[in-house]
Amino acid sequence: MTWLPDGLAVDFAAAWTDDILVRDLASRLTCIEVDLLAALLRACGRAPEYGDCWITAHAERDQPGDKHYRGPAAA
């Protein structure tokens, strides 16, 4: 296990839980990148639900066959 300086996990999570950042960047990440970012946010513990927010925002642009593809939105 790697040691993190005091407050680093909280600061990291705070920097990556901005709704505008999530909306603008999530679709540009690969499935692997968004999975790893979500895992880090969950491990930081400050806002684990943001891991799900990143994956949900990313999935909106995934195509059939991509890991997070959820099909067309209901009308």
Side-chain angles (χ1 to χ4, degrees), residues 18-30:
D18 176 76
D19 291 332
I20 295 170
L21 178 68
V22 173
R23 184 191 70 228
D24 289 349
L25 187 57
S27 66
R28 298 170 191 241
L29 297 177
T30 66

Side-chain angles (χ1 to χ4, degrees), residues 13 16-17 22 26 33-43 46-59 68 70:
W16 289 91
T17 55
V22 173
E33 292 165 345
V34 80
D35 282 340
L36 290 170
L37 179 57
L40 277 172
L41 289 170
R42 290 178 185 124
R46 179 180 176 275
E49 69 277 6
Y50 266 89
D52 295 333
C53 290
W54 274 92
I55 290 175
T56 298
H58 165 82
H68 303 107
R70 297 183 178 161

